[in-house]
């Protein structure tokens, strides 16, 4: 399913928050890459709901939390 214009705007917001967090040292390069790969994979398999959940997070917690759970 294609993303709606609203979802594209939400994605833009997530990318902007991520960029700001990287610059502020809140998210590492590796975690940003891993998180974006996770979102891209969700979209690739048609899991739009998962991707939109990432788009709509209030900050960038998913970029740290999702990778923390994989490292345990």
């Amino acid at each position: 399913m294609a993303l709606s214009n609203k979802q594209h705007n939400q994605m833009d917001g997530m990318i902007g928050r991520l960029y700001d967090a990287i610059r502020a040292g809140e998210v590492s390069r590796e975690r940003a890459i891993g998180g974006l790969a996770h979102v891209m994979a969700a979209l690739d398999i048609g899991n739009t709901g998962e991707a939109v959940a990432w788009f709509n997070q209030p900050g960038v917690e998913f970029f740290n939390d999702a990778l923390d759970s994989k490292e345990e």
Side-chain angles (χ1 to χ4, degrees):
M1 168 181 165
L3 294 176
S4 68
N5 286 335
K6 178 181 178 181
Q7 291 167 330
H8 272 278
N9 289 336
Q10 292 166 335
M11 180 178 62
D12 291 347
M14 177 200 69
I15 292 169
R17 289 189 305 277
L18 179 58
Y19 175 79
D20 292 343
I22 294 167
R23 289 192 49 150
E26 298 168 5
V27 174
S28 70
R29 177 181 184 273
E30 292 77 18
R31 287 178 182 268
I33 291 168
L36 288 173
H38 183 91
V39 173
M40 291 170 63
L43 290 170
D44 184 50
I45 64 170
N47 191 349
T48 306
E50 174 74 9
V52 170
W54 280 67
F55 299 165
N56 290 325
Q57 65 179 308
V60 291
E61 298 83 23
F62 286 7
F63 286 90
N64 288 318
D65 294 346
L67 296 173
D68 285 342
S69 65
K70 289 181 182 176
E71 293 171 358
E72 293 175 352

